[in-house]
Amino acid sequence: MNTAPAKISTVKEIYALPLAAYLMTASDVVHSLEVSIDTGLTTEEAKSRLEQVGPNELELYRQKSLLQLFLEQFKSPLAWVLALASALAFGFGEDLEAIAILVVILINAIIGFAMEWQAMSSMEALRQLTQTFARVYRNGKLVEVETAGLVPGDVVYLEAGDIPAADMRLLETVNLGVNESALTGESVAVSKQIEPIAATTVLGDQRNMLFRGTVVSRGNARAVVVRTGSRTEIGKIADLAQRASKEVTPLEKKLSKLSQKLIWLALALALMILVIGLLQGRDIFLMIEMAIALAIAAVPEGLPVVATIALARGMLRLARQQVIVKKLSAVETLGETQVIITDKTGTLTENQLLPDVMGFEFGTAGVHFQGEQLVLDDPADRYLLQTYAHSQLQHVAVLCNNASLDEHPSGPGTGDPLEIALLKMVAGSDTAPAAIRDAYSRIREIPFDSERKMMGTLHKNGRRPDYLVCIKGAMEILLRESDYILTVDGKIPLSETQRRAWMDKADTLAAKGLRVLGFGYSEIPVPKADFFENIVFIGFVGFLDPPRQTVKSAIDRCKAAGVQVVMATGDHPETAKNIGLKTGLIGFAESPVIKGPDIKPPAELSEREKQRLLSARIFARVNPAQKLHLVDLFQQEGFIVGMTGDGVNDAPALKKADIGIAMGSRGTEAAKEASDLVLKDDQFASITEAIRQGRGIFTNIRHFVIYLISCNLSELLIVAGAYLSNLALPLFPLQILFMNMVTDVFPALALGMNRVDDGVMERPPRGKGEPIITPHAWRAIIEYALALTVATIGAFLWAIYYLQLGDAPANNFAFYTIIIAQLWHVFNLPDPHQSFWRNAITRNPYVWMALAGSILIMLLAYWIAPLQAALHLVPFRMEWLGWVLLFSITPVMMVRIARLLRL
Ligand code: ATP
């Protein structure tokens, strides 16, 4: 229980350490913070401290107030141009026109505000999803708490890959190394100590402290939190606030580039129309207003914010499917991904690890679980389990292990799945892991890392005066380290022939898809730093780790989508190949498997070697540095690469990849921090889903842009066409503004929210840096705009010459035709290969709502007197409506016919 004599009650007291924590002894710090190192704080105490000191968060995300957001809408150039137009209208005595323009400014601001607010709240929801956790002692138990809930006095357990979430004073360390480059710029791991430091020193020399934002690169530690939130060293760094400045995604950059181009185009066209109109002697004010309306029409200024909404909504949708996207730009890159380099264990496989076979010098036995009990496949093998070797294997399995089981052994356990599996194996043979751990206290540990592929521990050897060394790891490493082998009669030297025979055995098991782990031990008289000597090889355990059921179809989908999947695993080549075959990654058993050492930095590879690596699908016994070389190689060949990883050493490769993908449940904090994507369920299939969404979102944005530009271009063409043929005006400036600010916006927004259809996974990825509007899309835009123009001018001429209408009703005739034609126009956008009736757009409820909304607004405009006057609407006869509908549907028909002729 907490041994604190009295409760600390004020913030000041909590932070009132008599000296800086690094100058004090660990026990003084713990004492000052009134906490017990073994039990940590109680939940109530932690809660009360949290209330006093506030959440452990950096104040990076200061939100704009809603009023600020609304007022910002009036800052846009568009609002200024419209204000100018309104002022001009007043000047020319067109009061109604002037007020109408002011209303347009207001409506536009409201729409802009609503969109930005939506974008902002989506971003906030996403930020909430990226919560991180820390392992903390509370009420005597090691539990995971959200890092925002850490308080001074919390005793935290950290191991390789963790990112300290507050500033802490170290209490115990095991071979601890910390990368503090985030604070000091020094990228070499610093070793740590627990002794106090004699004099005041700089951060980099405070060797007994752990700072927020650094990375534990090896070993493990216990530490007590001394400062949280913005009081931490990193929280004090002023320029951090800049990091929070809004990220501009490449997509947004592309969109603003496109907008700029369109602005110039619009200005040129508007000017041309102004000049022609003036030459034709038309009304000056009307011409200026028309030029402004057309210029505004051509500028799709809502583009960036719609893109943000589409991206953010995509991210939220992915979050529901257990994929956390950390950067907006990742959604876009996902759609371009051409190669995915994935690890095997836990991503392609279940990672549930069931022991299947145990092997010793004197025999091998098949095993399986029956409930929680580990039983032999053949009871005749019982003798194996009664040997000293089996008992030693159990000791190593438990001692050389950092995992722990839940109170009930069937619980999921905490720690590395392989180590949990080992504990369950021992517990299943009626031996209590806790009893072994109690009898052999641990003195030192050489933690597992995927570079070394093994782990070692040193223990007090029970009641004996000497010390027990335990080692477990990949078979080839164990056999290399071992000098002896344990037989029924004790240890004998391990010959080279035996080594080879054991390697062959391991290969055979691996070829069946088993994950094979070797075990060894030794007894040494005195403890040493490098304690691997006279190792005795005990035997191995082979674990079944079947592929996840969803993987095969996910890999097939990637293939169909032109995404190449490559496995890069730390496991044995034969195990890798077996899983590759089962998941359909490779098609036949002869497919080559490249081993880690063959992967060198691209500069050291010959052209032939490069081609060999680029065409391979499986890389085995790969270490993190080699993963980095692989990413490099693929990138140099121009591929967009996604890469998965979980360990602290994977961080550089994850950062280098275009899309770094970390595993949420088994990944380290360091890997998550370095990644763009976190898969909460560690499943490969989620990557495929993320790619699908990424592509879908881009397609939606493209549809949205094509829709808006083609509508706007048609308006330009209609007015220009009418001028050139010296007709009356088919559209008035305010009508154009009305369409662009009101009726067009909803269908366009709805297009940005289309559900992603499966068609996107039947095409190869977009090329790197492909523009939003490809030449092909430009052709489509021009085609659509022409169809809309022909229909509207046709309707206008029909009204004048066939129906013999006057200027005003003929203008209304054209106005209604173009509005409705633009609504129909959304149905031109689905992929030409999709059914006209059933596609992503017809299935999108937002599209239908948007169409209904736009029609409703149009009816309101017709009925509300001031709007009616501003839009120059005159009474419209029902019998004309049939003609309007007919003309308005012709663009869709024209486009269909053109497609049929082309196909
Ligand atoms: P992947 O890279 O696909 O996740 P992996 O988990 O096998 O595969 P690593 O974690 O790099 O890759 O492990 C490499 C090898 O090290 C394993 O094949 C196993 O033999 C050994 N190994 C894995 N975990 C441990 C551990 N906790 N202790 C000792 N050895 C281990």
Side-chain angles (χ1 to χ4, degrees):
M1 278 311 338
N2 196 338
T3 52
K7 257 178 75 150
I8 301 188
S9 53
T10 66
V11 180
K12 242 166 101 199
E13 283 175 45
I14 288 175
Y15 283 108
L17 291 179
L19 284 171
Y22 65 92
L23 298 172
M24 298 161 67
T25 64
S27 59
D28 281 350
V29 176
V30 170
H31 185 72
S32 311
L33 286 164
E34 304 197 358
V35 62
S36 142
I37 172 166
D38 294 319
T39 58
L41 297 173
T42 60
T43 317
E44 299 79 56
E45 179 60 18
K47 202 168 147 220
S48 118
R49 291 190 188 189
L50 188 63
E51 273 162 21
Q52 294 170 55
V53 299
N56 175 31
E57 280 169 349
L58 302 184
E59 285 171 30
L60 289 174
Y61 305 95
R62 231 166 280 120
Q63 282 218 4
K64 279 184 205 162
S65 73
L66 293 187
L67 180 68
Q68 211 178 351
L69 194 68
F70 184 67
L71 292 179
E72 272 179 15
Q73 304 304 317
F74 296 97
K75 280 198 207 148
S76 75
L78 179 83
W80 288 106
V81 175
L82 282 172
L84 187 76
S86 173
L88 271 176
F90 271 121
F92 279 88
E94 304 270 357
D95 291 1
L96 182 67
E97 203 83 358
I99 294 169
I101 297 177
L102 288 180
V103 173
V104 167
I105 299 179
L106 190 68
I107 293 177
N108 189 50
I110 293 172
I111 294 177
F113 167 78
M115 295 206 292
E116 281 204 25
W117 186 44
Q118 154 85 35
M120 227 169 74
S121 32
S122 307
M123 294 306 292
E124 179 55 27
L126 286 168
R127 199 175 73 77
Q128 304 274 344
L129 288 172
T130 41
Q131 273 297 354
T132 50
F133 294 86
R135 267 167 289 177
V136 181
Y137 290 90
R138 291 265 173 93
N139 309 317
K141 281 212 184 94
L142 192 58
V143 290
E144 285 206 336
V145 299
E146 282 183 7
T147 50
L150 281 186
V151 292
D154 263 328
V155 179
V156 180
Y157 172 78
L158 299 117
E159 59 187 18
D162 283 344
I163 295 181
D167 287 357
M168 311 177 192
R169 172 67 164 86
L170 284 162
L171 306 173
E172 285 170 9
T173 61
V174 177
N175 188 28
L176 187 70
V178 181
N179 184 328
E180 297 189 334
S181 57
L183 273 182
T184 60
E186 176 56 66
S187 62
V188 181
V190 204
S191 320
K192 292 283 178 175
Q193 63 181 56
I194 49 173
E195 295 75 28
I197 286 164
T200 306
T201 113
V202 291
L203 281 189
D205 292 335
Q206 294 176 14
R207 293 280 167 108
N208 52 17
M209 295 288 291
L210 274 181
F211 298 104
R212 180 178 178 135
T214 58
V215 179
V216 177
S217 54
R218 66 177 139 79
N220 52 46
R222 278 211 281 179
V224 63
V225 173
V226 292
R227 280 185 302 267
T228 58
S230 43
R231 293 183 186 88
T232 55
E233 292 300 332
I234 206 153
K236 289 188 210 153
I237 302 177
D239 75 349
L240 246 188
Q242 287 163 9
R243 275 205 226 162
S245 65
K246 194 179 162 296
E247 170 206 7
V248 181
T249 68
L251 182 70
E252 283 170 320
K253 275 192 213 140
K254 278 184 202 165
L255 285 172
S256 60
K257 229 189 203 163
L258 178 70
S259 294
Q260 269 163 18
K261 265 195 212 156
L262 291 171
I263 288 175
W264 288 114
L265 186 75
L267 285 180
L269 285 172
L271 201 66
M272 196 180 83
I273 282 172
L274 181 69
V275 172
I276 298 176
L278 291 178
L279 287 179
Q280 286 176 339
R282 298 191 189 224
D283 179 66
I284 296 186
F285 170 66
L286 195 62
M287 286 311 97
I288 296 176
E289 210 189 13
M290 181 65 90
I292 291 176
L294 286 177
I296 288 171
V299 180
E301 66 132 31
L303 275 188
V305 62
V306 173
T308 312
I309 294 180
L311 290 175
R313 282 182 55 94
M315 285 165 82
L316 286 173
R317 222 175 297 150
L318 276 172
R320 267 181 270 163
Q321 281 152 352
Q322 309 295 317
V323 182
I324 307 296
V325 184
K326 289 175 43 201
K327 283 191 226 140
L328 271 187
S329 55
V331 180
E332 187 192 348
T333 320
L334 266 172
E336 296 176 346
T337 310
Q338 292 162 317
V339 178
I340 302 170
I341 305 178
T342 172
D343 53 4
K344 171 184 73 71
T345 314
T347 313
L348 299 179
T349 66
E350 296 273 6
N351 211 11
Q352 276 175 348
L353 298 169
L354 299 170
D356 185 64
V357 55
M358 259 182 207
F360 303 98
E361 191 270 343
F362 39 87
T364 303
V367 289
H368 63 273
F369 271 113
Q370 224 165 51
E372 279 139 33
Q373 203 66 29
L374 189 76
V375 292
L376 291 159
D377 294 350
D378 180 355
D381 291 330
R382 199 172 321 119
Y383 77 99
L384 284 178
L385 305 188
Q386 286 148 5
T387 55
Y388 176 63
H390 179 248
S391 148
Q392 279 308 82
L393 187 137
Q394 287 194 321
H395 276 70
V396 176
V398 171
L399 295 173
C400 190
N401 191 320
N402 288 330
S404 58
L405 288 184
D406 304 323
E407 248 161 63
H408 201 273
S410 60
T414 322
D416 176 14
L418 182 74
E419 298 191 343
I420 296 172
L422 286 172
L423 293 183
K424 288 192 171 174
M425 179 184 85
V426 175
S429 322
D430 298 327
T431 312
I436 301 182
R437 280 194 178 159
D438 288 347
Y440 294 81
S441 53
R442 189 189 280 189
I443 297 168
R444 208 159 279 154
E445 171 189 346
I446 297 181
F448 170 76
D449 80 52
S450 38
E451 203 88 37
R452 238 186 269 133
K453 298 187 176 33
M454 56 105 177
M455 166 178 178
T457 48
L458 177 67
H459 305 259
K460 188 83 201 50
N461 198 358
R463 291 209 198 93
R464 291 171 40 179
D466 59 354
Y467 295 85
L468 176 69
V469 172
C470 298
I471 165 170
K472 75 176 197 304
M475 275 293 266
E476 65 268 29
I477 308 290
L478 246 289
L479 289 166
R480 194 189 64 205
E481 292 286 334
S482 302
D483 299 318
Y484 301 92
I485 180 164
L486 196 56
T487 69
V488 260
D489 305 317
K491 64 177 188 185
I492 58 165
L494 180 65
S495 70
E496 211 32 60
T497 335
Q498 273 174 312
R499 260 198 197 98
R500 237 171 289 127
W502 279 99
M503 279 309 300
D504 289 346
K505 198 176 234 169
D507 286 355
T508 320
L509 291 170
K512 289 189 196 151
L514 292 180
R515 197 164 149 76
V516 190
L517 196 69
F519 296 81
Y521 80 100
S522 78
E523 282 152 347
I524 57 172
V526 278
K528 303 181 182 168
D530 186 8
F531 48 77
F532 292 142
E533 57 181 48
N534 298 326
I535 299 288
V536 185
F537 177 71
I538 307 171
F540 66 81
V541 177
F543 292 91
L544 266 183
D545 185 17
R548 290 180 188 269
Q549 285 188 340
T550 47
V551 166
K552 192 165 174 2
S553 68
I555 290 184
D556 287 346
R557 288 175 76 200
C558 282
K559 282 186 184 163
V563 179
Q564 184 177 328
V565 182
V566 172
M567 182 203 296
T569 173
D571 212 338
H572 192 287
E574 291 299 328
T575 318
K577 188 185 256 183
N578 181 286
I579 297 294
L581 279 169
K582 284 187 185 149
T583 52
L585 195 63
I586 49 172
F588 48 94
E590 291 71 39
S591 309
V593 174
I594 309 244
K595 298 208 189 102
D598 289 355
I599 312 171
K600 300 191 201 98
E604 292 171 24
L605 292 170
S606 69
E607 201 41 50
R608 251 190 71 216
E609 285 170 323
K610 276 188 191 167
Q611 289 314 320
R612 187 168 152 255
L613 296 190
L614 290 169
S615 59
R617 291 288 172 274
I618 298 189
F619 300 85
R621 288 293 189 228
V622 177
N623 67 31
Q626 292 156 348
K627 284 191 189 171
L628 185 65
H629 299 329
L630 260 190
V631 174
D632 208 3
L633 176 66
F634 276 102
Q635 283 181 333
Q636 283 193 13
E637 296 295 313
F639 290 101
I640 308 253
V641 185
M643 152 113 210
T644 71
D646 49 16
V648 56
N649 298 338
D650 288 334
L654 289 170
K655 269 208 184 109
K656 174 112 185 50
D658 301 277
I659 291 279
I661 307 164
M663 298 302 143
S665 70
R666 91 193 121 93
T668 55
E669 287 301 322
K672 289 182 206 166
E673 158 114 349
S675 306
D676 306 291
L677 229 64
V678 178
L679 306 184
K680 279 181 114 176
D681 57 4
D682 294 8
Q683 296 227 31
F684 180 80
S686 306
I687 305 177
T688 323
E689 184 52 31
I691 293 184
R692 192 174 83 94
Q693 289 286 348
R695 289 185 177 192
I697 292 166
F698 194 86
T699 310
N700 285 350
I701 291 175
R702 187 174 263 172
H703 277 161
F704 160 83
V705 174
I706 293 179
Y707 176 79
L708 267 191
I709 299 185
S710 50
C711 286
N712 296 346
L713 186 61
S714 70
E715 290 151 24
L716 272 167
L717 292 176
I718 291 166
V719 174
Y723 275 19
L724 295 177
S725 43
N726 220 354
L727 286 170
L729 276 187
L731 293 173
F732 288 118
L734 272 183
Q735 292 174 337
I736 293 178
L737 279 183
F738 178 76
M739 281 194 285
N740 292 315
M741 302 278 160
V742 187
T743 53
D744 269 12
V745 178
F746 300 108
L749 256 182
L751 285 176
M753 296 187 185
N754 259 347
R755 280 231 333 256
V756 177
D757 73 282
D758 281 334
V760 293
M761 292 301 269
E762 283 150 23
R763 296 189 279 273
R766 284 195 319 272
K768 189 174 185 173
E770 185 180 295
I772 297 180
I773 308 193
T774 55
H776 177 78
W778 272 119
R779 240 197 357 255
I781 288 178
I782 293 174
E783 213 175 276
Y784 296 151
L786 281 175
L788 288 168
T789 308
V790 168
T792 313
I793 300 254
F796 191 50
L797 294 175
W798 187 262
I800 297 174
Y801 295 109
Y802 181 79
L803 299 175
Q804 304 276 326
L805 303 186
D807 279 359
N811 159 283
N812 287 188
F813 202 91
F815 175 54
Y816 295 134
T817 307
I818 178 91
I819 288 194
I820 301 174
Q822 288 187 351
L823 298 184
W824 291 129
H825 177 41
V826 289
F827 300 111
N828 277 328
L829 289 168
D831 191 326
H833 302 287
Q834 286 186 345
S835 138
F836 179 71
W837 305 109
R838 290 180 54 78
N839 55 52
I841 289 171
T842 52
R843 275 194 298 249
N844 177 353
Y846 292 111
V847 164
W848 296 104
M849 282 180 337
L851 298 190
S854 295
I855 289 175
L856 188 72
I857 292 177
M858 212 174 76
L859 292 177
L860 287 178
Y862 183 74
W863 281 315
I864 299 175
L867 261 178
Q868 205 183 60
L871 292 173
H872 304 280
L873 299 184
V874 292
F876 202 72
R877 290 225 213 114
M878 275 313 278
E879 64 253 38
W880 300 338
L881 195 61
W883 289 113
V884 165
L885 287 177
L886 186 67
F887 277 102
S888 67
I889 197 78
T890 49
V892 174
M893 290 179 354
M894 282 190 258
V895 170
R896 301 265 349 135
I897 292 169
R899 275 186 197 157
L900 284 177
L901 291 180
R902 248 198 316 260
L903 287 178

